[in-house]
Amino acid sequence: MVMGASGRACRANDDVEEHSRARIVSVARTAALNMDEFLQIAIREAEQGLREGGIPIGAVLVHDGKVLGQGHNRRVQRGSAILHAEMDALENAGRQKADVYARCVMYTTLSPCVMCAGGPVGVRSTSCRIRRASI
């Protein structure tokens, strides 16, 4: 037994696990700061859609901390059945390699529909994560 960082007796493995948990929390806090930035972009996109007379939903596709594409719902403006914010963001991101999509995060202002949730999967992004904010 050894003394862990918390001051309690533990096995050496516990101390390593405790350090790992602390590192994960630190990384999560940094990610949360970035998430707020990207959600703000999505909210600005939603506001733009509202100004255009459309449905106020925005989305941002982010890869390794860099915005690849952003967009807003344009169904009303363009008379489209499928131009949701997520699809607009994917379209604005341009063609990317599958491994890029696999490391992307889609930030949206509304939970995506089945079509939009499947969009990243359709471009072989089995690990594309979706974050959302309510406005």
Side-chain angles (χ1 to χ4, degrees):
M1 293 289 195
V2 296
M3 293 302 282
S6 64
R8 63 180 169 78
C10 63
R11 289 177 271 137
N13 284 4
D14 289 344
D15 199 36
V16 169
E17 287 175 19
E18 198 171 301
H19 174 72
S20 294
R21 273 188 239 111
R23 174 76 178 128
I24 290 168
V25 168
S26 173
V27 168
R29 285 185 183 141
T30 301
L33 291 174
N34 290 338
M35 183 173 69
D36 289 343
E37 173 189 342
F38 299 129
L39 286 175
Q40 287 302 315
I41 295 170
I43 290 168
R44 286 195 297 272
E45 282 289 332
E47 292 168 343
Q48 178 63 30
L50 185 60
R51 282 191 296 277
E52 293 173 3
I55 302 164
I57 302 170
V60 180
L61 184 67
V62 178
H63 173 260
D64 290 340
K66 178 182 173 228
V67 174
L68 291 183
Q70 59 194 64
H72 53 275
N73 188 302
R74 296 175 190 260
R75 290 181 57 222
V76 173
Q77 299 91 313
R78 297 208 181 149
S80 171
I82 62 169
L83 199 47
H84 294 185
E86 299 86 350
M87 295 301 162
D88 195 33
L90 280 169
E91 180 71 22
N92 291 332
R95 191 173 180 106
Q96 304 292 327
K97 293 183 178 184
D99 65 320
V100 171
Y101 289 115
R103 294 188 316 271
C104 282
V105 177
M106 177 74 76
Y107 295 85
T108 69
T109 58
L110 185 70
S111 293
C113 69
V114 173
M115 174 184 70
C116 293
V121 174
V123 291
R124 298 175 189 237
S125 175
T126 57
S127 64
C128 183
R129 299 170 307 276
I130 299 171
R131 309 260 190 231
R132 73 175 176 88
S134 297
I135 59 170

PDB file of all heavy atoms in Angstrom, residues 64-79:
ATOM      1  N   ASP A  64     -10.709  18.013 -35.523  1.00  0.00           N
ATOM      2  CA  ASP A  64      -9.503  18.366 -34.757  1.00  0.00           C
ATOM      3  C   ASP A  64      -9.460  19.844 -34.381  1.00  0.00           C
ATOM      4  O   ASP A  64      -8.442  20.521 -34.551  1.00  0.00           O
ATOM      5  CB  ASP A  64      -8.236  17.992 -35.543  1.00  0.00           C
ATOM      6  CG  ASP A  64      -8.040  16.486 -35.635  1.00  0.00           C
ATOM      7  OD1 ASP A  64      -8.632  15.754 -34.810  1.00  0.00           O
ATOM      8  OD2 ASP A  64      -7.296  16.040 -36.520  1.00  0.00           O
ATOM      9  N   GLY A  65     -10.587  20.366 -33.916  1.00  0.00           N
ATOM     10  CA  GLY A  65     -10.647  21.751 -33.453  1.00  0.00           C
ATOM     11  C   GLY A  65     -10.771  22.795 -34.546  1.00  0.00           C
ATOM     12  O   GLY A  65     -10.746  23.985 -34.277  1.00  0.00           O
ATOM     13  N   LYS A  66     -10.949  22.369 -35.796  1.00  0.00           N
ATOM     14  CA  LYS A  66     -11.066  23.300 -36.920  1.00  0.00           C
ATOM     15  C   LYS A  66     -12.428  23.120 -37.594  1.00  0.00           C
ATOM     16  O   LYS A  66     -12.855  21.994 -37.868  1.00  0.00           O
ATOM     17  CB  LYS A  66      -9.959  23.027 -37.936  1.00  0.00           C
ATOM     18  CG  LYS A  66     -10.006  23.904 -39.152  1.00  0.00           C
ATOM     19  CD  LYS A  66      -8.898  23.542 -40.147  1.00  0.00           C
ATOM     20  CE  LYS A  66      -9.096  24.340 -41.414  1.00  0.00           C
ATOM     21  NZ  LYS A  66      -9.017  23.543 -42.606  1.00  0.00           N
ATOM     22  N   VAL A  67     -13.099  24.231 -37.862  1.00  0.00           N
ATOM     23  CA  VAL A  67     -14.390  24.175 -38.530  1.00  0.00           C
ATOM     24  C   VAL A  67     -14.180  23.798 -39.993  1.00  0.00           C
ATOM     25  O   VAL A  67     -13.465  24.481 -40.725  1.00  0.00           O
ATOM     26  CB  VAL A  67     -15.124  25.529 -38.440  1.00  0.00           C
ATOM     27  CG1 VAL A  67     -16.405  25.498 -39.263  1.00  0.00           C
ATOM     28  CG2 VAL A  67     -15.432  25.878 -36.988  1.00  0.00           C
ATOM     29  N   LEU A  68     -14.796  22.681 -40.402  1.00  0.00           N
ATOM     30  CA  LEU A  68     -14.733  22.267 -41.808  1.00  0.00           C
ATOM     31  C   LEU A  68     -15.893  22.850 -42.597  1.00  0.00           C
ATOM     32  O   LEU A  68     -15.754  23.195 -43.765  1.00  0.00           O
ATOM     33  CB  LEU A  68     -14.780  20.742 -41.931  1.00  0.00           C
ATOM     34  CG  LEU A  68     -13.586  19.958 -41.438  1.00  0.00           C
ATOM     35  CD1 LEU A  68     -13.790  18.468 -41.712  1.00  0.00           C
ATOM     36  CD2 LEU A  68     -12.311  20.439 -42.098  1.00  0.00           C
ATOM     37  N   GLY A  69     -17.054  22.909 -41.958  1.00  0.00           N
ATOM     38  CA  GLY A  69     -18.238  23.430 -42.632  1.00  0.00           C
ATOM     39  C   GLY A  69     -19.281  23.829 -41.623  1.00  0.00           C
ATOM     40  O   GLY A  69     -19.334  23.290 -40.524  1.00  0.00           O
ATOM     41  N   GLN A  70     -20.063  24.801 -41.993  1.00  0.00           N
ATOM     42  CA  GLN A  70     -21.155  25.230 -41.134  1.00  0.00           C
ATOM     43  C   GLN A  70     -22.333  25.572 -42.028  1.00  0.00           C
ATOM     44  O   GLN A  70     -22.154  25.859 -43.215  1.00  0.00           O
ATOM     45  CB  GLN A  70     -20.740  26.423 -40.275  1.00  0.00           C
ATOM     46  CG  GLN A  70     -20.304  27.647 -41.059  1.00  0.00           C
ATOM     47  CD  GLN A  70     -19.595  28.666 -40.188  1.00  0.00           C
ATOM     48  OE1 GLN A  70     -18.522  28.386 -39.655  1.00  0.00           O
ATOM     49  NE2 GLN A  70     -20.196  29.832 -40.045  1.00  0.00           N
ATOM     50  N   GLY A  71     -23.528  25.481 -41.459  1.00  0.00           N
ATOM     51  CA  GLY A  71     -24.697  25.763 -42.266  1.00  0.00           C
ATOM     52  C   GLY A  71     -25.939  25.901 -41.413  1.00  0.00           C
ATOM     53  O   GLY A  71     -25.900  25.714 -40.197  1.00  0.00           O
ATOM     54  N   HIS A  72     -27.016  26.241 -42.069  1.00  0.00           N
ATOM     55  CA  HIS A  72     -28.297  26.353 -41.377  1.00  0.00           C
ATOM     56  C   HIS A  72     -29.392  25.768 -42.252  1.00  0.00           C
ATOM     57  O   HIS A  72     -29.206  25.526 -43.440  1.00  0.00           O
ATOM     58  CB  HIS A  72     -28.605  27.800 -40.983  1.00  0.00           C
ATOM     59  CG  HIS A  72     -28.518  28.783 -42.104  1.00  0.00           C
ATOM     60  ND1 HIS A  72     -27.335  29.367 -42.494  1.00  0.00           N
ATOM     61  CD2 HIS A  72     -29.455  29.272 -42.937  1.00  0.00           C
ATOM     62  CE1 HIS A  72     -27.561  30.188 -43.501  1.00  0.00           C
ATOM     63  NE2 HIS A  72     -28.836  30.147 -43.799  1.00  0.00           N
ATOM     64  N   ASN A  73     -30.524  25.525 -41.624  1.00  0.00           N
ATOM     65  CA  ASN A  73     -31.652  24.931 -42.321  1.00  0.00           C
ATOM     66  C   ASN A  73     -32.092  25.884 -43.423  1.00  0.00           C
ATOM     67  O   ASN A  73     -32.328  27.058 -43.184  1.00  0.00           O
ATOM     68  CB  ASN A  73     -32.784  24.688 -41.314  1.00  0.00           C
ATOM     69  CG  ASN A  73     -33.910  23.895 -41.899  1.00  0.00           C
ATOM     70  OD1 ASN A  73     -34.501  24.285 -42.889  1.00  0.00           O
ATOM     71  ND2 ASN A  73     -34.224  22.774 -41.262  1.00  0.00           N
ATOM     72  N   ARG A  74     -32.166  25.383 -44.653  1.00  0.00           N
ATOM     73  CA  ARG A  74     -32.552  26.200 -45.816  1.00  0.00           C
ATOM     74  C   ARG A  74     -33.763  25.608 -46.539  1.00  0.00           C
ATOM     75  O   ARG A  74     -33.984  25.881 -47.719  1.00  0.00           O
ATOM     76  CB  ARG A  74     -31.379  26.311 -46.789  1.00  0.00           C
ATOM     77  CG  ARG A  74     -30.191  27.034 -46.220  1.00  0.00           C
ATOM     78  CD  ARG A  74     -29.038  26.989 -47.210  1.00  0.00           C
ATOM     79  NE  ARG A  74     -27.814  27.471 -46.622  1.00  0.00           N
ATOM     80  CZ  ARG A  74     -27.325  28.702 -46.798  1.00  0.00           C
ATOM     81  NH1 ARG A  74     -27.974  29.572 -47.526  1.00  0.00           N
ATOM     82  NH2 ARG A  74     -26.195  29.040 -46.235  1.00  0.00           N
ATOM     83  N   ARG A  75     -34.545  24.801 -45.841  1.00  0.00           N
ATOM     84  CA  ARG A  75     -35.692  24.150 -46.482  1.00  0.00           C
ATOM     85  C   ARG A  75     -36.683  25.166 -47.011  1.00  0.00           C
ATOM     86  O   ARG A  75     -37.176  25.038 -48.132  1.00  0.00           O
ATOM     87  CB  ARG A  75     -36.375  23.208 -45.488  1.00  0.00           C
ATOM     88  CG  ARG A  75     -35.520  21.983 -45.163  1.00  0.00           C
ATOM     89  CD  ARG A  75     -36.218  21.044 -44.190  1.00  0.00           C
ATOM     90  NE  ARG A  75     -37.504  20.642 -44.737  1.00  0.00           N
ATOM     91  CZ  ARG A  75     -38.612  20.567 -44.020  1.00  0.00           C
ATOM     92  NH1 ARG A  75     -38.616  20.847 -42.741  1.00  0.00           N
ATOM     93  NH2 ARG A  75     -39.749  20.204 -44.586  1.00  0.00           N
ATOM     94  N   VAL A  76     -36.993  26.187 -46.223  1.00  0.00           N
ATOM     95  CA  VAL A  76     -37.970  27.195 -46.648  1.00  0.00           C
ATOM     96  C   VAL A  76     -37.376  28.078 -47.746  1.00  0.00           C
ATOM     97  O   VAL A  76     -38.006  28.298 -48.788  1.00  0.00           O
ATOM     98  CB  VAL A  76     -38.407  28.060 -45.436  1.00  0.00           C
ATOM     99  CG1 VAL A  76     -39.287  29.222 -45.877  1.00  0.00           C
ATOM    100  CG2 VAL A  76     -39.117  27.204 -44.399  1.00  0.00           C
ATOM    101  N   GLN A  77     -36.149  28.548 -47.517  1.00  0.00           N
ATOM    102  CA  GLN A  77     -35.530  29.480 -48.458  1.00  0.00           C
ATOM    103  C   GLN A  77     -35.365  28.876 -49.849  1.00  0.00           C
ATOM    104  O   GLN A  77     -35.513  29.563 -50.859  1.00  0.00           O
ATOM    105  CB  GLN A  77     -34.146  29.932 -47.955  1.00  0.00           C
ATOM    106  CG  GLN A  77     -34.165  30.660 -46.632  1.00  0.00           C
ATOM    107  CD  GLN A  77     -33.993  29.734 -45.450  1.00  0.00           C
ATOM    108  OE1 GLN A  77     -34.631  28.694 -45.361  1.00  0.00           O
ATOM    109  NE2 GLN A  77     -33.126  30.103 -44.517  1.00  0.00           N
ATOM    110  N   ARG A  78     -35.029  27.603 -49.926  1.00  0.00           N
ATOM    111  CA  ARG A  78     -34.750  26.963 -51.228  1.00  0.00           C
ATOM    112  C   ARG A  78     -35.843  25.985 -51.666  1.00  0.00           C
ATOM    113  O   ARG A  78     -35.680  25.321 -52.693  1.00  0.00           O
ATOM    114  CB  ARG A  78     -33.406  26.240 -51.163  1.00  0.00           C
ATOM    115  CG  ARG A  78     -32.267  27.223 -50.930  1.00  0.00           C
ATOM    116  CD  ARG A  78     -30.993  26.738 -51.509  1.00  0.00           C
ATOM    117  NE  ARG A  78     -29.922  27.687 -51.250  1.00  0.00           N
ATOM    118  CZ  ARG A  78     -28.667  27.361 -51.092  1.00  0.00           C
ATOM    119  NH1 ARG A  78     -28.301  26.093 -51.167  1.00  0.00           N
ATOM    120  NH2 ARG A  78     -27.753  28.280 -50.881  1.00  0.00           N
ATOM    121  N   GLY A  79     -36.880  25.881 -50.870  1.00  0.00           N
ATOM    122  CA  GLY A  79     -37.955  24.952 -51.220  1.00  0.00           C
ATOM    123  C   GLY A  79     -37.477  23.516 -51.253  1.00  0.00           C
ATOM    124  O   GLY A  79     -37.934  22.706 -52.057  1.00  0.00           O
TER     125      GLY A  79
END
